[in-house]
Every structure is written in C-alpha cells, then in structure tokens.
Amino acid sequence: MTSTRSRASDTARRPIVWLAAGVIAVLAVLVAAPLAGLVARTLDSDADGVWADVFSSPLSANLLWQPLTNSLLMGLGTGIGATVLGAFLAWVVVLSDVPGRRVIGVLAAVPFALPSFAIALAWESVFRNDRLGGTPGLLSALGVAVPDVLSWGAVPTVLVLTAHYYSLSFVIVSAALWGVGGDLVAAAELTGASRLRVATRIVLPAIAPALLSGFLLAFAEGVSNFAVPALLGLPVRFQTLSTRLYGAIATGDAARGYALSIVLVVVAGMVLWAGNRATRGRSFETITGKASRPRRVVTGAWRWPLFCTASLLVAVTAIVPGIVLVVSTVLRRTNSFSGGFTWHYWLGESDSSIAQGMRGVLRDPVVLSALQNTVLLGLAVAVGAGLLGLLGAYVVRRIVRPPLVGATIGFLSYVPFLIPGVAFGAAFIALFGAQIGPLPSLYGTFAILVLAGVAASVPFAFQTSRAALGQVSGELEEAAVLTGASGPRRFGRITAPLVSRGVLGGGVLVFVTMVRDLSLVVLLVTPATPLLATMTYRFASEGFTQHANAITVVIATISVVATIFARRLSDARPTGSTS
Amino acid sequence: MTHLQIAGLHKRFGEHTALHGVDIDLPAGAFLVLLGPSGCGKTTTLRILAGLESPTRGTIRIGDRVVVDTAAGIEVPAAKRGLGMVFQSYALWPHMTVRGNIEWPLRVAGWTRADRARRIGEVLESLEIANLADRHPAQISGGQQQRVAIARTIAPRPGVLLFDEPLSNLDARLRVETRAEIVRMHRITGATSVYVTHDQTEALAMASHIAVMRDGRVEQFGTPTELLERPATAFVASFLGTPPAVLLGGDIVDGALVRDGVPLVPRAERGWRVMYRPQDLRLHDHGPLAFEVLESTPIASRHLVTGLVGEDRVSVVTDVPAVAGDRTGLALPPGPAGVFDAAGQLREAGK
C-alpha cells in the first residue's frame, strides 16, 4: 500500500519537478548569468583597475560622484514631486466632492501609459531655448526668453519625470484611500475631532504605507530613468548614472560602463528593497471587514479652486504633451507656426529643401521596418515572458517541497525589478556580446533584444500570473484531480483557461512596456535591428524634431490602445474562485 | 437619559427617494431596532441621525437639543452631536493599538490622562479584551475587533449609541454572544440606543422598541410583543416571528373569502388575505386544505413543519414530526387572527 502510494506520488511529481528545473534553468540564464557576467567583466584582466578608476581616481568625480549625486537628486525630486502630486489628485478623486473627479481620475492614469520621452520631447518643443543652436521651442519662437534652467538639466528633468511617474503614486494612494473607507473617517468625526485632526491623525497615518511605497517607486525610477535626462540633460553635459554608463559603453569604454551599471543596480535595488521592507505587512487596507464607500469631504468654497488646480495638472501632464507632439509634427518650420502646416513629416517624399531630404516617417523604409521590429519584439517578449511567468507561478504554487525551489524561482523572478533598464542592457552585452564557447555573439541580433526583454519583463509577468492563479481556487483543480485527469491535461483544460484573461491582460501590458521602452534597448540596438524608440532618440538627438515627435506619437498611440485593451480585459475578468 | 425624536424625515438621492417621512418618538434609555429588508431606508435613517448624511427635510431632537431642523436651517455636524456609533466594518483605526483606538476619542474630548487610563481599564475589563490592549487591529480576530469597536464607542459615555448592522460580519455563534454583550452594555450604560439590522430574530432578542421599515417608510412602531401580536400590516406579519404568521388569500364567492372551498371570512374583497398564528394551525389527514410537506425541523421538543398550500409556503408548529414529501391536510382555527386588505392594511383584528 505504502509503496504503491509513494510510487504514484513520485510519478505525479515528476513532470512538475522537470518543469521546475526548466524554469530555474531559463531564469538562471536570463537573470543570474547576465548579472554574473557584468560583475565578471569588471574583474577580469582587460578591466584592470576599473573599480579604482571609478571610485578613487582623478576621474571619479566626473565618472561617478557627480552623476551619482545628480541621479539621487533626480530620484529625490521625482519621488517628492510624484508623491505630492499623486496624493493630491488621489485625494481629489476619491475623497472630495470636486466636480469632474471621475474624468480627472481617468486622465491621472494616462501619463504612465505614455513613454517617458514623450513628455520630454513635448517639453523640448515648448521650452527649448537657443543656447545650443538648432531650432528653439515654441516659447522662444514667440519671443519669450526661456532661461537655461527651464530649458535644460535638472529642473526640466525632474518636472518631466514627475509628470510621468506621479501616475504611480496616484494609483497606489487612490487604492489606499478606497481601502481606508468612509466608516473609518466617520468614526473619527463622531468623536468630535476637528477635520484637520481627523486628516492628520487618522487618514494620513492610515495611508502612510501607500505614500511611502509610491515615493520609493518614483524615487527608484527617477534615479535610473535614462530617456529623460538623456534628452534634456546630456546636451548640456548634465549626467546621471544612466546617461554616464550609456556614454561609457557607447564610446567603447565598456568596463567602466559595467562598473557604473553595478553601482546603479545597487543604488536602485537598495531603494526598492527598502521600500518592500518598509511596507511589507503594513498595508492598512481592508483589514477590518469590508471596506465602506469613501466619505466625501464637502469642500465648499474651495470646490472650484481645487477643480481648477486638479484639472490643470492632469491637462498639463496627460493632454497637453499629446497635443504639442501631434501639432509639432505638422508644423513646416520646427516649433514655429510661421511656416504654416504640412503633412510632409508624416507622408512626404524626400525633398532636399526640408530636413536634409528625410522622408516622412510613414514613407521611410527604416521607420517602417522599425515599426515592424517593435511590434514583433513586443509580441515575442509578451509571449515569452508570459509563458515563463505562468509556468514559474504554476510551479511555485504546486511545488511545496523542497521550499528552496519556490524561493529560488520567486527570487530570480523578482530580481530584474531591481535592475534599471540601461544597466540590464549593459549586463546583456557583457554576457552575450562575446562568443561563449560554440555560441556566437548575439550582439546586434533580434534575439538579444527578445532575451533582454523577456528577462526584464519576468517580474511583472510572474506577478500577474501568480495573482491570476491565486484566483483559481485549489478546489477547482482538486475536482479535476478526482476525475483522474493527468497534470498537463489539468493545466491545459482547467487552470490555463481560467487564468487566461489575467495572463493575457498582463501580456498586453508587457507588450506596452516593451513597445515604449528605450532604456533597456538603447545599448542593444544596432542599425541592423532598428526600433521605434531608439529611432525617436536618434532623431531627437540629431535635431529632426518633427520626425522624432511623429514616431513618438505612433508609439504613444500603440501604447494607449493596448493599455485600454488590457484594462477592458481585466475589468471583465471572471473570478474563477468558488465561494 | 436622552429622549430621541425624529419627525417628518425625508431623504432624496438624486431621482431616488430613500425616505418618505419617517416619524419615531423614542423614550430615554430605550433600545430601538430599525428593522427591514435591504434598501428600506434603515441605514439612511441611522446615518442621518448620526449626522453622516443630510436629510432633504425633517427635524431631529436629541434630548432637549434640536440637531436637525431643515425648515430653520439647523444641522449640527456629526462631531457636535455627542453620540457614539458602531459600524458594520468596525472602522477601527488600523495604525493604532486597541488601547490607542479606545483612548483617542477620550483624548479628543479632553479627558485627563488619569481619567483616560481609568476609563480604558474599565471598558477593556468590561468587554474582556484587556489582554489585547497592545495589539493592532490587524492582529486580532473579527469578533475581537467588534468588541474593541464597542469598547471604543462606549468609552466616552455618549448619551446615544448607534449600531449599523454590527453583527453581520460575524459567524453565527459569535453573533449570538456579541448580541448578548451589546444588550448588557446597553443595560450598564443606559444610553438610548438605535440599532439597524435586517435580522428579525436579532431585533426580537434585543429591542425594547422596533420600527419595521419598508420602502422608506415606518410600517409599524411598537414593542416586540405588540408587533408580534397585533401586526398593523401584512408585511409586518410576514416579516416577524419564527416562524412568521401564516397569510392565506382566496377567491371571492358571494362576498366571502373562500380558499379551495373552505370559507375564511364572510365579508371580503379581492386581494384580501387572512392571518393565522402558526401555533393555532393543525396538520391532520382530514384537514380541509391540501398540504404538501417540504421539510420538518425539530425545535425545542416541538416541530416546525413547512409545506405548500397551493402556491403559498406555510409554516406550522406541531407536536409530531412530518415526513418531507407527505401529503396531508391543514386545519384552520375557527376565526383568523387578522384580516388584511389588498394594500396590506389591517381591516379586522382577530381574537
């Protein structure tokens, strides 16, 4: 009896064990190996003394300390700005009686769906001054003298990053405010406490974990973002760690670039890890039975001023950049209405009198091939990461022993979340850029883009799959076990269909992040594999404003359409849980 | 001791009218249960009483104080009404310990440190949660959370206590225990209490007064015994009691209400129904109305038999059990306990 049972359980366990081994192997190649390669390349003989160069040499100030300070400043500024803005809008949308709050809420989530360089390019189109030559922005064209501080460097970078990342804080804090519920506030009001006292002693502490986690996410993103400082800072030699390491690798100074990547990984990783530690188990939401409808604050005379402030903020961050970008692409003269309007930059044939004979983006074979590559890359990464995430989440759920297996998969699936895109790109070059035994160098191939994309997207794919699987109650699968169906059959016929919506929704969001990503691919792309985001960056750096903006509009359109699609999928998600 | 008066209370949410003129006059120290199905306006009434919602029209007095008079433009904010409320979601402040939760209202009310400490000790003791004082709400069970919520509410000794379905998130056993706890707290504090529930057994067990609500109106206000014995409407009769009263309709034959050939009352109109108390009905094979047994539940050495008479579900209390699926007969007492017209209003009280 015992022997039959143990043999049966062995057989039942075998496929899942193989699956677990496979998942761990893939994650090891995609996540652990590049990081190890990165470290190895800074220690081998070619890289002699690179750490000393970086940390203690006459170069260190320029190479590390100044960029690191700037990165931390960008992080701090973005963190504070995004938290204040996001929390304010969340309060308006969830707790106030300000008119139009529903629309404000929808718009407040938009900037994050746009690529971060979209807002940066829009900023440039408006605020660029003539310090560097080239065509100045709309304000200069209208005769307004724009000071350097507003045109270039730290201030516009922080403002643009804030405009992009406040959506994160907004979403997190809104959820917390909904979770707090109206009863909590009503109970505090009934004690006779003043409104201010209720706000500072009850509401604020209750959402403190959400504020903190929103702040740390925005901080980490601000530290590591590449596109925005590259567009608004690099032209005036305002360097952050991301732009510095990009510059080092792009100019062939790879070892220093790798060392800076490691510094960036450690800094961003520490911030995010601290965030996870600080907020773990401190979510105050939904602990006391069911959450009640939020209690709206009657704002009285403040109603319209609040409305104006809130709608101005979302308009400036969600609508105006889009309009600026679209309009700028049809201006004959860059950033100036004086030349009239034209579709040339979209549809025009080569004309040597305009933009050095560049064709309209929709006629340019390179742009079209970049479009194709971008969509293909998005699809490949979404499928790859989705599959890996789903299998990983399934293994973690099914395999109880040894606990190390689940922990390893969970850890490897989480690590890429801590790694900034540029640094991850650097790690992939460090590992796959050279020939490994019989394997050829992957540098310059489409494959390296897909591999890096899958690796970078695994955390998100894994989390969505795990959440989706969590919604399928164990009883459903147990019921299938009782019918005698085999493991793969149960997965295919019961589990997979039930989680498909959640996984598909997650896949679409992976697709979106891939389509609009610049930081991960900027080091990996070569002329052989153009992508839309890198073309935008190149055009913008070379001063082809209309072309850069037109491609950004294309990317933004794809992103927004796909995001809406994903939202619709998740809204209609069946729970699949038995109650 | 606080006497409580609600008069002509109306509430409209946009197009929907939630309250159509609610009047309740509650003596000091009473325990009023607002009872009714979901959407009847009971919670709205309670929240208006608390000051968490504004009425469209009406007046409310708490003790000698007018807290709401829409005609005079008076509306005292919730914070200034001096009442305590226990919420369905408990609404414990998650970032404070149990002690902190109980202390904060006292602190707001300006109690001295010594008074606060003494009072916290008292209520913790009284609700038997002294051992939880330093835990956070997330670390204690649902039943314990509800005790903390009650402790927090009674600590400042409010003159009026409000309860919004406080037991609905608890399991059956805890519900009965906590129910007794609330009744005990009411007895000790003497605070006039208003309690909202849709559970009629809860209402009958706790209330000194019940207001049965339906569609934004009070159908009947009175003591539990009055409501059980002399229901003013067919709705009250069918809503209260375990089992509730039996209501039977029939056809009009020569001005009389007749059911399957059995005369119920001599003079009636279309749509009228007659009421019988379950304990007055008998089941036996020669009973004149055909009765198909659906289930038979033993209760306190007797049996609650539910079955179908035509399409009406009828519950009868009997001395002997019945077998599900059996067909037997229902025998009626000589006269009904009440007659309701088509609108559900009582036309004739029975014996």
Side-chain angles (χ1 to χ4, degrees), chain A residues 79-102:
Chain A
I80 293 172
T83 308
V84 170
L85 196 55
F88 167 72
L89 288 171
W91 177 81
V92 166
V93 168
V94 180
L95 288 189
S96 82
D97 63 349
V98 166
R101 49 183 185 270
R102 191 185 279 259

Side-chain angles (χ1 to χ4, degrees), chain A residues 144-213:
Chain A
V144 182
V146 183
D148 283 354
V149 187
L150 272 185
S151 288
W152 305 105
V155 172
T157 304
V158 164
L159 289 178
V160 166
L161 286 172
T162 300
H164 182 58
Y165 288 115
Y166 82 85
S167 294
L168 274 178
S169 278
F170 169 78
V171 170
I172 296 170
V173 175
S174 302
L177 285 176
W178 277 104
V180 163
D183 284 356
L184 215 65
V185 181
E189 279 178 22
L190 283 173
T191 65
S194 70
R195 222 193 246 183
L196 183 68
R197 200 163 178 186
V198 172
T200 54
R201 306 307 296 273
I202 302 293
V203 179
L204 212 54
I207 60 162
L211 287 173
L212 183 64
S213 94

Side-chain angles (χ1 to χ4, degrees), chain B residues 168-244:
Chain B
S168 58
N169 289 335
L170 302 179
D171 67 39
R173 195 180 56 84
L174 268 176
R175 204 175 301 168
V176 173
E177 273 179 35
T178 315
R179 190 165 91 189
E181 202 62 44
I182 291 175
V183 171
R184 194 167 69 86
M185 286 301 131
H186 172 247
R187 211 175 55 233
I188 295 172
T189 59
T192 309
S193 302
V194 181
Y195 184 106
V196 162
T197 182
H198 58 262
D199 182 341
Q200 55 97 14
T201 49
E202 224 167 274
L204 292 172
M206 306 172 86
S208 70
H209 295 74
I210 296 179
V212 178
M213 294 188 66
R214 183 196 188 192
D215 296 337
R217 291 189 176 82
V218 174
E219 287 264 314
Q220 191 174 4
F221 173 77
T223 65
T225 321
E226 278 169 11
L227 266 60
L228 271 181
E229 308 225 314
R230 292 186 294 282
T233 67
F235 176 76
V236 174
S238 64
F239 199 74
L240 276 184
T242 310

Side-chain angles (χ1 to χ4, degrees), chain B residues 23 26 33 54 76-77 265 279:
Chain B
D23 302 283
L26 194 65
V33 172
S54 301
V76 178
V265 277
Q279 63 271 28

Side-chain angles (χ1 to χ4, degrees), chain A residues 180 182-194 197-198 200-207 281 283-285 287-293 295, chain B residues 13 47 50-53 78-80 82-85 87-96 104-105 107-109 136-138 145 152 162 164 169:
Chain A
V180 163
D183 284 356
L184 215 65
V185 181
E189 279 178 22
L190 283 173
T191 65
S194 70
R197 200 163 178 186
V198 172
T200 54
R201 306 307 296 273
I202 302 293
V203 179
L204 212 54
I207 60 162
S283 168
F284 289 146
E285 299 145 33
I287 56 150
T288 49
K290 98 182 170 198
S292 47
R293 267 222 326 265
R295 185 160 163 67
Chain B
F13 291 104
R47 291 180 70 89
L52 301 174
E53 304 268 2
K80 301 256 158 63
L83 27 75
M85 180 156 168
F87 293 84
Q88 182 178 7
S89 63
Y90 318 147
L92 296 180
W93 301 309
H95 55 292
M96 296 182 182
W104 202 69
R107 200 190 279 262
V108 170
H136 277 90
Q145 288 178 1
R152 179 180 76 181
L162 308 178
D164 184 11
N169 289 335

